[in-house]
């Protein structure tokens, strides 16, 4: 061959996908291919295979194995003339080295691929039984099995069948093979065959009609005595037949093995008898079976032996399968089993595990099976053993979103296709994605990825596993299921009578009204009503777990009425794992959160676990730009502040909802154990939100009245709980207003402008609207209500230098700039620091004055008729006690201890303990009391919708506060006793540290 010709052929081979063009040239030049080496049809067909090098090598081996020149010529002529054979044969040779080996050993088996008739395109059990009919021993059975497998693989790699059809054909071939093996076993022991009836029940993928190329075939055996035979002898005979049948399939011969037959799914596993009677099976499942055993029975299907007995077995056990979801901890057991499977995967393999790894095939199968077991009790259409058929039925019934079902279907098909092609190469049982580049290239090309097979394969594989992982978390771990699974049979799809009975059982105060709400929500034949019927039994249980289930249901109806026509609402509740339970908790926990939600129901989207930010609090760095942007888009100050208040309402709802969910806990998320963290989260979120709202309001007012620049610099100083980042839901915003005339601006003009800004801010933030008002309280200013609302920095300086009282120094401990001119705010803080952290600390006279003021406040400000021991603010051991004690330590020692220079109570308390100013136990007692009192105030606001410093007197409201604090029904008294005990211990510490007792 001339160098030029060689170069041309070499290039053509590379262009057709060969990786070793030199070796391919040598094979094409071999004597076996001499007659067709220049035929372009052959080269093109080879280039279309998954691995052209492998296909060419297999073809040469097949030609070499032909019995003579005539047979070789017949093969080549047919190959070139018949495209169906060419595609099938070369497709198999390019995808499976194992089937190439089989063809080399049995060179006439290529003829099995010549037939191309309609019945050949989709063979069933009968066709495969004919294909195996001539097998008289285990060796010939293996040869016949591989010949049938050859035709399945050919249809698969050519795209004649899709992955589901291929899996079904493999299961049908397994059925025919089990029957042939059993027939061989019976022929070898006719006396045993005559003594018993033996049914072979396929389980797992074979039972589900979705088998792999190489997989254990899971079976269960059922035996009965033949007429007149002794049962014990019959079972021994059946066991011999079953064992022999298993060996015929599993043992390795000169033709290899077929596949292992695994009977370990039987009662008691490998420790139990191989064959049982039907009554013995039934007794076991009624008394001893574990949850996973019922899950496995979903796929039970009689395939061989006495099919009538097999059908009796399925019919007897089917009712037990569909009652499995009523078992205690059913969903938790299934979830635990799935997690155990993942935990047992070697760490080095988990990222390559197609079947068992996260986002793998088993995730889809477990999720589908769980949904089937929960909902299939009432819906017979869901009772399929085939994963993809069951998934389609779940989507049709509204149990799975249509889009989710399509994505899961696509992902499952792709992953099963990968698994099939990986196994087909060597006909070895594996679920690991290969690491070798050549293997990945062949795998990618076999799936139709030709441009950059390896890169495209890995991208698509990761994309599909990501989809499965995300959807599996929504479907499999969806907390809805656990609650639905605990309902009585028939209740998963709510009927009116079942609803009435359940309402009474759940303790709804007004079952008639509740039933009207349910009928309004769930009646009709629309998809919306169908989804509601699926959701409502679960929601009813969650509402019942609250102190006011009636309110929860009423609020759910209001939200559903408002959002029922939006496409995302019910989809969110059904598909987002957390959304339904979060909504149930929020709607039944009191008045505040539902009231905030009803004013803008679309905020329900925050309750999901998707990409909308969820319930994670948003800090000032996120909130202020959003509010300022909304103000910037408004036409006037009123519209701008309305937009700012809208954001505030949404974020108050987010904070309240997160607080409720964290306090109640959910079925997948325990109650937040750190109560202090809950308090800090709420205080920080509400304080940041208030600061951002004031910043937006200030911007709106200034822009509307003066354009870009106010005649005076202006800043807002947060005081009290606001400055301390400890605002509650019902807190006013305590502030001071500071201004400083700009250069060239008269003081009167500056003062007028500042006062107008303050007046307009207060007015706009209190205009009646759908959004809660924000009340600004400036009573902590110099001279209190008698003094001017706004002062210049110089005026503050003059006042504090000359007139300041010790209580004002104490109040300034919480001062922190929150809005407006940052530089002016910083200078104000520099001005007041010497007052709140006086050099060498407070004098004894000042300490006595603070103690006198505290004692007078306790006696004069406590509301008449209030129980002092239960007053969270002014009662003994309440907020005031702890805060005044901490603030006295700050005033006395802040000049020397930098850690005490903070506006936050808990931070200052921790710093005082670190500095040795009080003991660890004393600090813990004060911290516990402060946190508990703050939690009670937050609870009262959440429950009643209005602020309060004492526990509610109405029993249902008191129970709701108790539920928020972690006390169950009937334990309100325990809650009050615990509060008194905590406050009493704190008061003892206050007496010692504050009063010096």
């Amino acid at each position: 061959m001339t160098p030029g010709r060689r170069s041309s052929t070499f290039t053509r081979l590379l262009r057709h996908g060969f990786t070793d063009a030199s070796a391919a040239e040598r094979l094409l030049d071999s004597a076996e291919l001499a007659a067709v080496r220049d035929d372009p049809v052959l080269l093109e067909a080879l280039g279309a295979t998954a691995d052209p090098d492998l296909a060419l090598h297999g073809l040469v081996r097949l030609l070499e194995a032909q019995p003579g020149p005539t047979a070789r010529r017949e093969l080549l002529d047919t190959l070139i003339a018949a495209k169906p054979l060419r595609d099938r044969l070369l497709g198999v040779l390019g995808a499976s080295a194992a089937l190439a080996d089989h063809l080399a050993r049995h060179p006439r088996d290529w003829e099995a691929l010549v037939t191309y008739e309609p019945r050949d395109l989709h063979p069933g059990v009968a066709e495969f039984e004919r294909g195996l009919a001539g097998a008289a021993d285990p060796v010939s059975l293996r040869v016949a099995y591989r010949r049938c497998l050859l035709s399945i693989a050919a249809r698969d790699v050519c795209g004649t069948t899709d992955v589901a059809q291929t899996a079904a054909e493999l299961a049908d071939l397994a059925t025919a093979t089990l029957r042939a093996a059993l027939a061989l076993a019976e022929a070898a022991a006719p006396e045993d065959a005559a003594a018993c009836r033996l049914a072979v029940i396929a389980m797992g993928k074979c039972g589900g009609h979705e088998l792999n190329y190489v997989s254990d075939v899971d079976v269960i055996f059922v035996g009965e005595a033949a007429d007149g035979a002794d049962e014990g002898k019959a079972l021994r005979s059946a066991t011999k037949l079953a064992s022999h049948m298993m060996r015929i399939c599993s043992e390795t011969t000169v033709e290899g093995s077929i596949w292992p037959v695994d009977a370990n799914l039987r009662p008691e596993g490998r420790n139990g008898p191989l064959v049982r009677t039907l009554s013995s099976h039934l007794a076991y499942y009624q008394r001893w079976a574990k949850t996973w055993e019922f899950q496995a029975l979903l796929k039970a299907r009689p395939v061989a032996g006495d099919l009538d007995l097999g059908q009796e077995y399925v019919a007897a056990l089917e009712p037990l399968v569909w009652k499995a979801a009523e078992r205690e901890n059913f969903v938790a057991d299934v979830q635990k089993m799935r997690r155990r499977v993942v935990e047992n995967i070697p760490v080095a393999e988990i990222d390559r595990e197609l079947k068992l790894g996260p986002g793998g095939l088993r995730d889809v199968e477990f999720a589908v099976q769980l949904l089937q077991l929960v909902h299939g009790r009432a819906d017979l259409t869901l009772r399929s053993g085939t994963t993809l058929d069951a998934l389609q039925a779940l989507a049709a019934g509204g149990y799975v979103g249509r889009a989710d079902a399509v994505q899961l279907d696509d992902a499952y098909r792709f992953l099963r296709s990968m698994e099939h092609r990986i196994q087909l190469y060597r006909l070895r049982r594996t679920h690991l994605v290969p690491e070798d580049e050549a293997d990945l290239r062949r795998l990618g090309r076999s799936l139709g990825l030709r441009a950059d097979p390896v890169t495209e394969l890995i991208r698509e594989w990761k994309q599909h596993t990501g989809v499965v992982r995300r959807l599996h978390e929504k479907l499999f771990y969806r907390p809805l299921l656990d609650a639905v699974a605990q309902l009585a049979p028939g209740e998963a799809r709510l009927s009116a009578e079942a609803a009435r009975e359940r309402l009474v059982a759940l303790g709804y105060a007004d079952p008639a009204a509740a039933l009207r709400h349910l009928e309004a929500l769930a009646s009709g034949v629309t998809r919306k009503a169908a989804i509601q019927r699926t959701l409502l039994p679960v929601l009813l249980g969650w509402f019942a777990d609250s102190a006011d289930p009636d309110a929860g249901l009423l609020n759910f109806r209001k939200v559903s009425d408002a959002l029922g026509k939006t496409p995302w609402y019910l989809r969110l509740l059904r598909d987002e794992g957390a959304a339904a339970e979060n909504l149930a908790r929020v709607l039944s926990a009191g008045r505040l959160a539902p009231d905030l939600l009803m004013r803008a129901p679309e905020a329900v989207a925050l309750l999901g676990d998707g990409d909308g930010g969820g319930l994670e609090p948003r800090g000032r760095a996120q909130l202020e730009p959003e509010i300022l942007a909304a103000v910037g888009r408004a036409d006037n100050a009123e519209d701008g502040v309305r937009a700012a208040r809208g954001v505030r309402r949404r974020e108050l709802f987010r904070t309240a909802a997160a607080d409720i969910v964290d306090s109640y806990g959910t079925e997948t998320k325990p109650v937040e154990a750190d109560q202090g963290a809950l308090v800090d989260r709420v205080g920080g979120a509400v304080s940041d939100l208030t600061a951002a709202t004031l910043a937006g309001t200030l911007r709106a007012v200034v822009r509307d009245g003066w354009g870009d620049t106010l005649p005076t610099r202006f800043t807002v100083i947060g005081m009290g709980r606001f400055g301390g980042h400890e605002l509650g839901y019902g807190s006013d915003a305590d502030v001071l207003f500071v201004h400083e005339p700009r250069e060239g601006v008269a003081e009167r003009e500056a003062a007028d402008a500042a006062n107008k800004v303050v007046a307009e801010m207060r007015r706009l933030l209190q205009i009646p609207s759908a959004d809660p008002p924000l009340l600004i309280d400036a009573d902590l200013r110099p001279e209190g209500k008698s003094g001017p609302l706004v002062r210049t920095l110089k005026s503050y300086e003059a006042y504090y230098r000359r007139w300041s009282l010790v209580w004002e120094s104490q109040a300034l401990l919480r001062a922190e700039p929150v809005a407006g001119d940052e530089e002016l705010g910083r200078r104000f803080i520099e001005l007041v620091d010497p007052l709140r952290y006086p050099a060498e600390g407070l004098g004894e006279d000042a300490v006595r004055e603070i103690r006198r003021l505290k004692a007078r406040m306790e006696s004069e400000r406590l509301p008449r008729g209030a129980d002092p021991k239960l007053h969270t603010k002014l009662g003994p051991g309440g907020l005031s006690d702890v805060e005044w004690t901490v603030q006295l330590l700050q005033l006395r020692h802040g000049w020397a201890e930098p850690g005490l220079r903070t506006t936050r109570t808990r931070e200052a308390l921790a710093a005082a303990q670190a500095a040795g100013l009080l003991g660890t136990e004393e600090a813990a007692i004060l911290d516990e009391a402060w946190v508990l009192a703050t939690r009670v105030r937050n609870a009262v606001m959440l429950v009643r919708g209005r602020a309060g410093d004492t526990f509610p007197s109405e029993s249902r409201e008191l129970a709701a506060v108790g539920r928020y604090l972690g006390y169950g029904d009937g334990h309100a008294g325990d809650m009050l006793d615990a509060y008194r005990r905590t406050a009493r211990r704190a008061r003892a510490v206050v007496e010692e540290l504050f009063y010096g007792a």
Side-chain angles (χ1 to χ4, degrees):
M1 185 178 295
T2 65
R5 180 182 172 189
R6 177 181 176 82
S7 177
S8 171
T9 305
F10 190 89
T11 303
R12 284 171 58 215
L13 289 169
L14 290 176
R15 194 167 62 247
H16 279 91
F18 287 84
T19 56
D20 189 347
S22 298
E25 274 191 300
R26 287 193 296 274
L27 289 172
L28 285 170
D29 285 339
S30 64
E32 288 76 17
L33 289 175
V36 295
R37 72 162 62 94
D38 294 322
D39 195 317
V41 169
L42 175 63
L43 200 58
E44 192 171 317
L46 287 167
T49 65
D51 187 338
D53 300 86
L54 185 67
L56 178 57
H57 184 258
L59 177 60
V60 171
R61 288 181 63 206
L62 177 58
L63 288 166
E64 288 173 344
Q66 294 305 308
T70 304
R72 193 176 302 128
R73 185 73 237 179
E74 180 189 355
L75 170 56
L76 283 174
D77 288 347
T78 311
L79 188 72
I80 298 301
K83 186 177 188 307
L85 171 72
R86 185 166 65 248
D87 291 343
R88 286 178 169 198
L89 178 58
L90 295 182
V92 168
L93 293 173
S96 178
L99 288 177
D101 290 344
H102 172 84
L103 285 169
R105 286 196 308 274
H106 304 281
R108 300 303 295 178
D109 275 6
W110 67 269
E111 294 172 7
L113 303 180
V114 175
T115 310
Y116 200 76
E117 299 174 1
R119 68 185 176 89
D120 179 56
L121 294 181
H122 300 291
V125 176
E127 285 77 19
F128 289 125
E129 284 188 298
R130 283 196 292 272
L132 302 176
D137 55 62
V139 174
S140 58
L141 180 61
R142 280 153 176 70
V143 175
Y145 175 84
R146 289 288 173 93
R147 188 183 304 119
C148 293
L149 193 66
L150 187 66
S151 67
I152 292 175
R155 286 186 292 275
D156 179 16
V157 298
C158 292
T160 306
T161 54
D162 65 17
V163 66
Q165 292 169 323
T166 299
E169 288 185 14
L170 289 165
D172 285 342
L173 175 57
T175 297
T177 305
L178 289 171
R179 291 178 183 179
L182 183 57
L184 290 176
E186 289 173 339
E191 290 183 4
D192 288 329
C196 67
R197 299 169 64 198
L198 177 64
V200 183
I201 312 297
M203 305 287 285
K205 281 188 160 52
C206 184
H209 228 71
E210 50 190 15
L211 199 60
N212 298 329
Y213 277 104
V214 187
S215 174
D216 291 358
V217 171
D218 296 309
V219 298
I220 285 177
F221 296 106
V222 187
E224 295 287 350
D227 291 340
D230 175 72
E231 184 177 287
K233 181 181 177 184
L235 285 178
R236 286 193 292 274
S237 294
T239 300
K240 290 178 187 175
L241 292 174
S243 298
H244 192 187
M245 187 205 81
M246 292 174 70
R247 289 197 304 275
I248 289 171
C249 296
S250 305
E251 287 182 347
T252 301
T253 70
V254 291
E255 287 292 339
S257 67
I258 301 176
W259 18 246
V261 177
D262 188 340
N264 288 336
L265 290 178
R266 67 186 184 270
E268 300 180 74
R270 64 185 60 196
N271 297 319
L274 184 63
V275 183
R276 288 175 182 257
T277 62
L278 177 54
S279 61
S280 175
H281 275 285
L282 195 56
Y284 173 84
Y285 283 107
Q286 287 173 333
R287 188 168 184 184
W288 303 110
K290 296 181 175 64
T291 298
W292 69 264
E293 293 178 278
F294 293 105
Q295 184 181 355
L297 285 171
L298 272 174
K299 296 184 178 295
R301 180 172 65 94
V303 291
D306 191 320
L307 295 181
D308 289 338
L309 178 58
Q311 290 296 349
E312 289 176 38
Y313 170 88
V314 171
L317 292 183
E318 188 175 45
L320 300 180
V321 173
W322 299 110
K323 287 182 180 177
E326 299 168 28
R327 294 164 65 93
E328 188 175 357
N329 299 321
F330 161 70
V331 173
D333 285 348
V334 177
Q335 292 173 339
K336 192 185 303 178
M337 175 66 72
R338 174 65 189 125
R339 285 193 290 271
R340 193 179 302 136
V341 168
V342 175
E343 288 164 2
N344 288 334
I345 302 172
V347 175
E349 296 180 358
I350 194 165
D351 290 334
R352 297 194 293 128
E353 176 61 71
L354 266 180
K355 178 181 178 181
L356 303 178
L361 293 162
R362 187 57 58 88
D363 275 352
V364 181
E365 293 158 0
F366 262 59
V368 169
Q369 289 164 22
L370 182 58
L371 285 162
Q372 283 181 278
L373 287 168
V374 171
H375 297 295
R377 292 176 293 163
D379 192 339
L380 303 186
T381 66
L382 305 182
R383 299 184 178 186
S384 169
T386 306
T387 301
L388 293 177
D389 291 347
L391 179 58
Q392 186 176 2
L394 286 165
Y399 305 104
V400 176
R402 291 191 184 99
D404 289 347
V406 168
Q407 285 187 291
L408 271 183
D409 186 283
D410 288 346
Y412 189 75
R413 288 174 184 273
F414 184 84
L415 296 174
R416 282 301 300 270
S417 296
M418 282 184 70
E419 182 184 46
H420 277 188
R421 302 301 165 79
I422 291 169
Q423 292 183 350
L424 181 59
Y425 177 52
R426 292 285 186 196
L427 286 182
R428 290 178 183 163
R429 184 173 177 268
T430 179
H431 310 286
L432 292 178
V433 177
E435 295 178 292
D436 182 72
E437 178 109 3
D439 291 334
L440 289 170
R441 180 176 183 273
R442 179 178 54 256
L443 179 57
R445 284 175 59 91
S446 76
L447 297 172
L449 308 173
R450 297 301 172 95
D452 186 353
V454 176
T455 303
E456 291 178 59
L457 172 69
I458 292 173
R459 184 177 64 244
E460 289 213 27
W461 167 40
K462 295 300 183 185
Q463 179 183 332
H464 284 298
T465 55
V467 166
V468 171
R469 188 182 289 115
R470 177 174 58 82
L471 294 181
H472 169 260
E473 288 167 355
K474 291 165 64 176
L475 299 175
F476 184 73
Y477 292 105
R478 192 171 60 187
L480 292 172
L481 297 176
D482 198 15
V484 174
Q486 293 167 15
L487 301 177
E491 243 180 33
R493 301 291 293 275
L494 206 65
S495 69
E497 186 55 37
R500 188 176 287 106
E501 292 173 1
R502 185 161 175 80
L503 287 168
V504 173
L506 288 171
Y508 279 75
D510 189 350
L515 187 56
R516 287 195 297 273
H517 300 323
L518 291 176
E519 289 171 348
L521 289 163
S523 59
V525 294
T526 63
R527 182 175 174 82
K528 180 176 78 171
I531 296 173
Q532 287 280 27
R533 284 194 294 271
T534 302
L535 290 169
L536 278 166
V538 193
L539 291 166
L540 287 173
W542 282 327
F543 293 148
D545 190 37
S546 73
D548 196 350
D550 295 84
L553 181 56
L554 172 61
N555 289 331
F556 179 67
R557 180 180 177 182
K558 289 179 179 177
V559 173
S560 295
D561 287 347
L563 294 176
K565 293 183 180 179
T566 57
W568 56 265
Y569 169 61
L570 290 175
R571 188 167 66 237
L572 172 84
L573 297 187
R574 183 191 61 201
D575 296 344
E576 289 288 349
E581 187 175 0
N582 287 350
L583 180 62
R585 299 299 184 204
V586 166
L587 294 181
S588 55
R591 295 180 184 174
L592 178 66
D595 284 352
L596 291 168
L597 181 59
M598 297 309 170
R599 294 171 182 181
E602 66 277 2
V604 76
L606 299 176
L607 298 171
D609 46 17
D611 300 325
L615 297 180
E616 192 65 32
R618 301 176 71 207
R620 184 173 176 181
Q622 294 171 286
L623 292 168
E624 192 165 313
E626 180 185 357
I627 288 176
L628 292 176
V631 166
R633 291 189 296 269
D635 293 332
N636 53 57
E638 196 162 313
D639 289 346
V641 176
R642 186 181 299 114
R645 289 175 65 182
V647 174
R648 177 172 178 264
R649 183 247 316 126
R650 182 197 71 205
E651 295 304 319
L652 277 175
F653 172 74
R654 189 199 303 268
T655 303
D659 189 18
I660 291 166
V661 169
D662 287 340
S663 298
Y664 272 60
T666 67
E667 314 216 350
T668 56
K669 180 182 179 184
V671 174
E672 170 63 68
D674 186 349
Q675 303 292 295
L678 287 174
V679 165
D680 292 344
R681 207 172 299 152
V682 172
V686 178
S687 300
D688 280 353
L689 177 56
T690 302
T693 305
L694 289 178
T697 303
L698 176 59
R699 172 76 62 85
V701 170
V702 171
R703 193 188 64 170
D704 211 37
W706 294 271
D708 293 333
T709 306
L710 191 66
T712 185
R713 298 181 186 279
F714 187 91
T715 195
V716 183
I717 307 296
M719 300 288 286
R721 297 192 176 284
F722 186 15
H725 297 260
E726 296 161 359
L727 283 179
Y729 299 112
S731 302
D732 296 348
D734 289 319
V735 299
L736 299 177
F737 294 111
V738 186
H739 81 103
E740 183 178 69
R742 295 187 184 277
E743 190 174 344
V745 176
E747 287 202 12
R748 171 53 58 190
E749 180 187 352
D752 287 347
N755 278 288
K756 285 179 183 176
V757 166
V758 171
E760 187 65 0
M761 286 178 68
R762 299 179 82 177
R763 183 186 74 82
L764 291 173
L765 287 170
Q766 296 178 48
I767 290 177
S769 75
D771 301 311
L774 174 56
L775 302 178
I776 296 177
D777 187 340
D779 289 353
L780 291 175
R781 65 188 183 271
E783 302 178 72
K785 294 181 180 179
S786 304
L789 268 177
V790 195
R791 287 177 182 262
T792 63
L793 187 62
K794 286 183 179 178
S795 175
Y796 276 103
E797 183 180 8
Y799 174 85
Y800 287 137
R801 185 175 63 248
R802 191 171 181 186
W803 305 109
S804 177
L805 302 174
V806 67
W807 73 263
E808 290 176 303
S809 294
Q810 183 182 353
L812 288 169
L813 286 168
R814 316 295 292 275
E816 181 173 291
V818 293
D821 191 297
E822 293 181 9
E823 197 269 337
L824 182 59
R826 181 184 56 76
R827 286 163 55 207
F828 178 85
I829 296 302
E830 290 173 355
L831 167 67
V832 301
D833 269 351
L835 290 170
R836 54 184 182 174
Y837 310 124
E840 305 301 326
L842 284 183
E844 285 305 312
D845 290 344
V847 172
R848 280 195 296 272
E849 175 64 13
I850 287 178
R851 289 170 176 163
R852 187 185 66 78
L853 286 171
K854 174 77 169 70
R856 193 180 81 183
M857 183 178 70
E858 289 177 12
S859 62
E860 294 180 359
R861 293 180 59 186
L862 196 67
R864 183 176 298 174
D867 181 351
K869 294 179 181 178
L870 293 175
H871 198 282
T872 59
K873 183 176 181 181
L874 301 175
L879 294 170
S880 176
D881 265 6
V882 177
E883 289 166 2
W884 281 60
T885 300
V886 171
Q887 289 161 13
L888 182 58
L889 290 172
Q890 288 180 285
L891 288 165
R892 298 181 78 172
H893 303 284
W895 66 278
E897 293 293 341
L900 290 173
R901 298 171 203 163
T902 174
T903 62
R904 305 175 190 226
T905 301
R906 298 188 71 217
E907 275 189 16
L909 182 57
Q913 185 265 317
L917 301 176
L918 76 166
T920 302
E921 184 180 359
E922 293 170 320
I925 289 171
L926 293 180
D927 186 70
E928 181 186 8
W930 189 89
V931 166
L932 178 57
T934 304
R935 293 266 293 150
V936 171
R937 294 181 93 210
N938 284 344
V940 169
M941 184 66 187
L942 285 169
V943 168
R944 302 178 68 191
R946 61 182 187 274
D949 294 318
T950 60
F951 288 88
S953 55
E954 198 274 321
S955 60
R956 183 161 280 199
E957 291 180 345
L958 185 63
V961 170
R963 186 68 183 81
Y964 172 86
L965 294 176
Y967 293 88
D969 289 341
H971 290 276
D974 294 340
M975 170 183 65
L976 297 178
D977 288 345
Y979 180 83
R980 292 188 187 100
R981 187 166 54 250
T982 302
R984 186 167 60 247
R985 294 173 66 210
R987 180 64 180 195
V989 174
V990 171
E991 293 282 358
E992 180 182 346
L993 292 179
F994 184 82
Y995 289 109

